[in-house]
Amino acid sequence: MTEDIFRALQKRLDKYSLGFPATDIRVELEILKKLFTEGDAAMFLELTPMLESPESIAPRVSRSAEDVAAQLEDMARRGLLFRLQRGDSVKYGAIPFVHGLFEFQVKRLDRDMAELVERYGQIDFKEAIIKNADSFLRTIPVERSIDVTQNIAAYDDACEMLRNMKKIVVTDCICRKQKGLIDKGCGKPLEACFMFGSMGQYYLDNKMGREVDADEAIRILTKAQEAGLVTQPATSQNPSGMCNCCGDCCGILNALNTLPNPAEYVFSNHFAVIDQEACSGCEVCIDRCQMGAVKMNDDDVAQINPDRCIGCGLCVTTCPTDALQLVPKPEEKRRTPPANNVEQMMAMAEKRGIQF
């Protein structure tokens, strides 16, 4: 029974978001057994991402609404479900492994779980990330890297997004926390990820972050970018969250860094160009680039590999001679993100051939 129910849980999670593929070494089952009891797994399998009240779930499991409500709340507090509360109404729904089960362990993550996730990320899950990265997160440029004469869409402007959010919650980066627990941390800022709206409220309710106003959020964003972090909101025009990622720790960027052409797998509308005559050969841009897109040529002048540049603009903001510039991709290569999270998730499912 134990093995069967956790395998069923793995198969269900594999339908959501980036997926949760099975592996030959069965590490994915070890992760699930660390998070879920058999009772938790059985309840999760009764749910879908569509939010429901305990009263609507109770008849399916032949239990009282009060009993079901107590279990759902306990699971939500342990980061195993999403909870939405509006007034007296409380509803619950299933969540993916990412963004979901993994990130919701931000205050509970220990070395054992960090090591399990590290093993999993080196095999089948890495392939799932690569295939679906452009549908999950997108890279948007550092505001100061864009020429003031360029008209940038609001969904590509991180500061504008923060100013328009009614609720902003800042939390620790789960990826840098996980790497730090296994002695592979990069030392970059930890409190650097934002959650918005109902997702932000869930983080607040479960003491996984703190609420900030737009001004403080922009200060945090600026410090993150100064530290060399890539700003990546969810791939929708109205995202539920915004990460600030490094190439060392981020599950997405780390996986893409193993490819010779990560630019093809990233949702980004910009790329960097260099005026080689203005380049002083200081190599600051090499340190700033999280994707290894910048190299020095035989003349000690920086060169950008367009196959690796993801258009974050980190190299532009620290160039002492203004030799670097971020420019929009040709119109035919620019992409418009889905309008909202529902459309994003539907697009991801369609891309993966998942039917519900």
PDB file of all heavy atoms in Angstrom, residues 243-265:
ATOM      1  N   CYS A 243      11.167  35.970  -8.726  1.00  0.00           N
ATOM      2  CA  CYS A 243      12.415  35.492  -8.136  1.00  0.00           C
ATOM      3  C   CYS A 243      13.579  36.371  -8.565  1.00  0.00           C
ATOM      4  O   CYS A 243      13.523  37.039  -9.601  1.00  0.00           O
ATOM      5  CB  CYS A 243      12.692  34.054  -8.577  1.00  0.00           C
ATOM      6  SG  CYS A 243      11.434  32.872  -8.070  1.00  0.00           S
ATOM      7  N   ASN A 244      14.621  36.345  -7.784  1.00  0.00           N
ATOM      8  CA  ASN A 244      15.894  36.958  -8.155  1.00  0.00           C
ATOM      9  C   ASN A 244      16.951  35.869  -8.015  1.00  0.00           C
ATOM     10  O   ASN A 244      17.270  35.440  -6.909  1.00  0.00           O
ATOM     11  CB  ASN A 244      16.193  38.173  -7.271  1.00  0.00           C
ATOM     12  CG  ASN A 244      15.330  39.362  -7.649  1.00  0.00           C
ATOM     13  OD1 ASN A 244      15.542  39.997  -8.671  1.00  0.00           O
ATOM     14  ND2 ASN A 244      14.330  39.656  -6.833  1.00  0.00           N
ATOM     15  N   CYS A 245      17.461  35.420  -9.147  1.00  0.00           N
ATOM     16  CA  CYS A 245      18.152  34.135  -9.236  1.00  0.00           C
ATOM     17  C   CYS A 245      19.630  34.271  -9.598  1.00  0.00           C
ATOM     18  O   CYS A 245      20.026  35.204 -10.292  1.00  0.00           O
ATOM     19  CB  CYS A 245      17.480  33.267 -10.303  1.00  0.00           C
ATOM     20  SG  CYS A 245      15.689  33.150 -10.125  1.00  0.00           S
ATOM     21  N   CYS A 246      20.412  33.284  -9.161  1.00  0.00           N
ATOM     22  CA  CYS A 246      21.815  33.209  -9.551  1.00  0.00           C
ATOM     23  C   CYS A 246      22.056  31.930 -10.345  1.00  0.00           C
ATOM     24  O   CYS A 246      21.327  30.946 -10.195  1.00  0.00           O
ATOM     25  CB  CYS A 246      22.727  33.241  -8.323  1.00  0.00           C
ATOM     26  SG  CYS A 246      22.507  31.830  -7.217  1.00  0.00           S
ATOM     27  N   GLY A 247      23.069  31.957 -11.181  1.00  0.00           N
ATOM     28  CA  GLY A 247      23.386  30.804 -12.000  1.00  0.00           C
ATOM     29  C   GLY A 247      23.925  29.632 -11.219  1.00  0.00           C
ATOM     30  O   GLY A 247      23.922  28.499 -11.711  1.00  0.00           O
ATOM     31  N   ASP A 248      24.388  29.882  -9.989  1.00  0.00           N
ATOM     32  CA  ASP A 248      24.940  28.812  -9.165  1.00  0.00           C
ATOM     33  C   ASP A 248      23.862  27.965  -8.496  1.00  0.00           C
ATOM     34  O   ASP A 248      23.963  26.739  -8.446  1.00  0.00           O
ATOM     35  CB  ASP A 248      25.842  29.394  -8.064  1.00  0.00           C
ATOM     36  CG  ASP A 248      26.995  30.194  -8.623  1.00  0.00           C
ATOM     37  OD1 ASP A 248      27.676  29.682  -9.510  1.00  0.00           O
ATOM     38  OD2 ASP A 248      27.201  31.329  -8.161  1.00  0.00           O
ATOM     39  N   CYS A 249      22.827  28.614  -7.970  1.00  0.00           N
ATOM     40  CA  CYS A 249      21.863  27.925  -7.101  1.00  0.00           C
ATOM     41  C   CYS A 249      20.497  27.703  -7.737  1.00  0.00           C
ATOM     42  O   CYS A 249      19.837  26.709  -7.427  1.00  0.00           O
ATOM     43  CB  CYS A 249      21.669  28.715  -5.810  1.00  0.00           C
ATOM     44  SG  CYS A 249      23.199  29.044  -4.896  1.00  0.00           S
ATOM     45  N   CYS A 250      20.044  28.614  -8.566  1.00  0.00           N
ATOM     46  CA  CYS A 250      18.697  28.540  -9.133  1.00  0.00           C
ATOM     47  C   CYS A 250      18.505  27.242  -9.917  1.00  0.00           C
ATOM     48  O   CYS A 250      19.297  26.915 -10.802  1.00  0.00           O
ATOM     49  CB  CYS A 250      18.448  29.737 -10.044  1.00  0.00           C
ATOM     50  SG  CYS A 250      16.922  29.633 -11.008  1.00  0.00           S
ATOM     51  N   GLY A 251      17.439  26.506  -9.594  1.00  0.00           N
ATOM     52  CA  GLY A 251      17.185  25.255 -10.291  1.00  0.00           C
ATOM     53  C   GLY A 251      17.029  25.447 -11.783  1.00  0.00           C
ATOM     54  O   GLY A 251      17.491  24.625 -12.587  1.00  0.00           O
ATOM     55  N   ILE A 252      16.380  26.553 -12.194  1.00  0.00           N
ATOM     56  CA  ILE A 252      16.166  26.822 -13.620  1.00  0.00           C
ATOM     57  C   ILE A 252      17.483  27.190 -14.293  1.00  0.00           C
ATOM     58  O   ILE A 252      17.899  26.555 -15.272  1.00  0.00           O
ATOM     59  CB  ILE A 252      15.150  27.958 -13.811  1.00  0.00           C
ATOM     60  CG1 ILE A 252      13.825  27.644 -13.109  1.00  0.00           C
ATOM     61  CG2 ILE A 252      14.941  28.236 -15.297  1.00  0.00           C
ATOM     62  CD1 ILE A 252      13.030  26.529 -13.715  1.00  0.00           C
ATOM     63  N   LEU A 253      18.153  28.239 -13.803  1.00  0.00           N
ATOM     64  CA  LEU A 253      19.382  28.697 -14.452  1.00  0.00           C
ATOM     65  C   LEU A 253      20.488  27.653 -14.367  1.00  0.00           C
ATOM     66  O   LEU A 253      21.287  27.503 -15.303  1.00  0.00           O
ATOM     67  CB  LEU A 253      19.848  30.017 -13.815  1.00  0.00           C
ATOM     68  CG  LEU A 253      18.913  31.215 -13.986  1.00  0.00           C
ATOM     69  CD1 LEU A 253      19.561  32.481 -13.422  1.00  0.00           C
ATOM     70  CD2 LEU A 253      18.523  31.438 -15.445  1.00  0.00           C
ATOM     71  N   ASN A 254      20.541  26.930 -13.254  1.00  0.00           N
ATOM     72  CA  ASN A 254      21.562  25.896 -13.100  1.00  0.00           C
ATOM     73  C   ASN A 254      21.406  24.813 -14.159  1.00  0.00           C
ATOM     74  O   ASN A 254      22.379  24.352 -14.759  1.00  0.00           O
ATOM     75  CB  ASN A 254      21.479  25.289 -11.694  1.00  0.00           C
ATOM     76  CG  ASN A 254      22.669  24.436 -11.366  1.00  0.00           C
ATOM     77  OD1 ASN A 254      22.712  23.267 -11.714  1.00  0.00           O
ATOM     78  ND2 ASN A 254      23.652  25.009 -10.685  1.00  0.00           N
ATOM     79  N   ALA A 255      20.159  24.400 -14.404  1.00  0.00           N
ATOM     80  CA  ALA A 255      19.902  23.390 -15.435  1.00  0.00           C
ATOM     81  C   ALA A 255      20.236  23.927 -16.827  1.00  0.00           C
ATOM     82  O   ALA A 255      20.869  23.241 -17.639  1.00  0.00           O
ATOM     83  CB  ALA A 255      18.444  22.939 -15.370  1.00  0.00           C
ATOM     84  N   LEU A 256      19.825  25.170 -17.100  1.00  0.00           N
ATOM     85  CA  LEU A 256      20.080  25.748 -18.420  1.00  0.00           C
ATOM     86  C   LEU A 256      21.559  25.980 -18.660  1.00  0.00           C
ATOM     87  O   LEU A 256      22.022  25.934 -19.807  1.00  0.00           O
ATOM     88  CB  LEU A 256      19.312  27.066 -18.562  1.00  0.00           C
ATOM     89  CG  LEU A 256      17.778  26.944 -18.567  1.00  0.00           C
ATOM     90  CD1 LEU A 256      17.143  28.317 -18.636  1.00  0.00           C
ATOM     91  CD2 LEU A 256      17.299  26.083 -19.730  1.00  0.00           C
ATOM     92  N   ASN A 257      22.301  26.213 -17.598  1.00  0.00           N
ATOM     93  CA  ASN A 257      23.739  26.446 -17.740  1.00  0.00           C
ATOM     94  C   ASN A 257      24.486  25.236 -18.276  1.00  0.00           C
ATOM     95  O   ASN A 257      25.610  25.350 -18.757  1.00  0.00           O
ATOM     96  CB  ASN A 257      24.341  26.869 -16.388  1.00  0.00           C
ATOM     97  CG  ASN A 257      24.711  28.337 -16.365  1.00  0.00           C
ATOM     98  OD1 ASN A 257      25.152  28.886 -17.363  1.00  0.00           O
ATOM     99  ND2 ASN A 257      24.529  28.974 -15.216  1.00  0.00           N
ATOM    100  N   THR A 258      23.873  24.062 -18.190  1.00  0.00           N
ATOM    101  CA  THR A 258      24.523  22.848 -18.706  1.00  0.00           C
ATOM    102  C   THR A 258      24.396  22.743 -20.216  1.00  0.00           C
ATOM    103  O   THR A 258      25.024  21.871 -20.829  1.00  0.00           O
ATOM    104  CB  THR A 258      23.920  21.586 -18.060  1.00  0.00           C
ATOM    105  OG1 THR A 258      22.550  21.452 -18.452  1.00  0.00           O
ATOM    106  CG2 THR A 258      24.013  21.647 -16.543  1.00  0.00           C
ATOM    107  N   LEU A 259      23.600  23.614 -20.833  1.00  0.00           N
ATOM    108  CA  LEU A 259      23.360  23.572 -22.273  1.00  0.00           C
ATOM    109  C   LEU A 259      24.304  24.521 -23.003  1.00  0.00           C
ATOM    110  O   LEU A 259      24.732  25.542 -22.452  1.00  0.00           O
ATOM    111  CB  LEU A 259      21.922  23.974 -22.586  1.00  0.00           C
ATOM    112  CG  LEU A 259      20.806  23.147 -21.935  1.00  0.00           C
ATOM    113  CD1 LEU A 259      19.458  23.778 -22.244  1.00  0.00           C
ATOM    114  CD2 LEU A 259      20.855  21.715 -22.413  1.00  0.00           C
ATOM    115  N   PRO A 260      24.614  24.238 -24.280  1.00  0.00           N
ATOM    116  CA  PRO A 260      25.447  25.164 -25.052  1.00  0.00           C
ATOM    117  C   PRO A 260      24.668  26.392 -25.525  1.00  0.00           C
ATOM    118  O   PRO A 260      25.268  27.402 -25.900  1.00  0.00           O
ATOM    119  CB  PRO A 260      25.898  24.314 -26.248  1.00  0.00           C
ATOM    120  CG  PRO A 260      24.822  23.297 -26.413  1.00  0.00           C
ATOM    121  CD  PRO A 260      24.329  22.995 -25.029  1.00  0.00           C
ATOM    122  N   ASN A 261      23.327  26.318 -25.495  1.00  0.00           N
ATOM    123  CA  ASN A 261      22.503  27.394 -26.048  1.00  0.00           C
ATOM    124  C   ASN A 261      21.319  27.743 -25.158  1.00  0.00           C
ATOM    125  O   ASN A 261      20.157  27.660 -25.579  1.00  0.00           O
ATOM    126  CB  ASN A 261      21.999  26.987 -27.435  1.00  0.00           C
ATOM    127  CG  ASN A 261      21.257  25.648 -27.399  1.00  0.00           C
ATOM    128  OD1 ASN A 261      21.387  24.877 -26.450  1.00  0.00           O
ATOM    129  ND2 ASN A 261      20.463  25.386 -28.427  1.00  0.00           N
ATOM    130  N   PRO A 262      21.550  28.146 -23.909  1.00  0.00           N
ATOM    131  CA  PRO A 262      20.434  28.425 -22.997  1.00  0.00           C
ATOM    132  C   PRO A 262      19.493  29.511 -23.490  1.00  0.00           C
ATOM    133  O   PRO A 262      18.317  29.514 -23.116  1.00  0.00           O
ATOM    134  CB  PRO A 262      21.134  28.844 -21.698  1.00  0.00           C
ATOM    135  CG  PRO A 262      22.532  29.174 -22.068  1.00  0.00           C
ATOM    136  CD  PRO A 262      22.861  28.328 -23.257  1.00  0.00           C
ATOM    137  N   ALA A 263      19.970  30.429 -24.334  1.00  0.00           N
ATOM    138  CA  ALA A 263      19.112  31.505 -24.824  1.00  0.00           C
ATOM    139  C   ALA A 263      17.878  30.969 -25.545  1.00  0.00           C
ATOM    140  O   ALA A 263      16.818  31.602 -25.543  1.00  0.00           O
ATOM    141  CB  ALA A 263      19.896  32.427 -25.746  1.00  0.00           C
ATOM    142  N   GLU A 264      17.983  29.810 -26.157  1.00  0.00           N
ATOM    143  CA  GLU A 264      16.856  29.232 -26.884  1.00  0.00           C
ATOM    144  C   GLU A 264      15.778  28.700 -25.950  1.00  0.00           C
ATOM    145  O   GLU A 264      14.652  28.462 -26.375  1.00  0.00           O
ATOM    146  CB  GLU A 264      17.336  28.100 -27.800  1.00  0.00           C
ATOM    147  CG  GLU A 264      18.169  28.573 -28.983  1.00  0.00           C
ATOM    148  CD  GLU A 264      18.471  27.439 -29.946  1.00  0.00           C
ATOM    149  OE1 GLU A 264      17.748  26.415 -29.908  1.00  0.00           O
ATOM    150  OE2 GLU A 264      19.419  27.575 -30.731  1.00  0.00           O
ATOM    151  N   TYR A 265      16.104  28.502 -24.684  1.00  0.00           N
ATOM    152  CA  TYR A 265      15.175  27.887 -23.744  1.00  0.00           C
ATOM    153  C   TYR A 265      14.603  28.886 -22.750  1.00  0.00           C
ATOM    154  O   TYR A 265      13.857  28.495 -21.850  1.00  0.00           O
ATOM    155  CB  TYR A 265      15.888  26.764 -22.980  1.00  0.00           C
ATOM    156  CG  TYR A 265      16.292  25.605 -23.851  1.00  0.00           C
ATOM    157  CD1 TYR A 265      17.469  25.651 -24.599  1.00  0.00           C
ATOM    158  CD2 TYR A 265      15.508  24.467 -23.948  1.00  0.00           C
ATOM    159  CE1 TYR A 265      17.855  24.593 -25.408  1.00  0.00           C
ATOM    160  CE2 TYR A 265      15.877  23.398 -24.745  1.00  0.00           C
ATOM    161  CZ  TYR A 265      17.049  23.478 -25.477  1.00  0.00           C
ATOM    162  OH  TYR A 265      17.426  22.419 -26.284  1.00  0.00           O
TER     163      TYR A 265
END
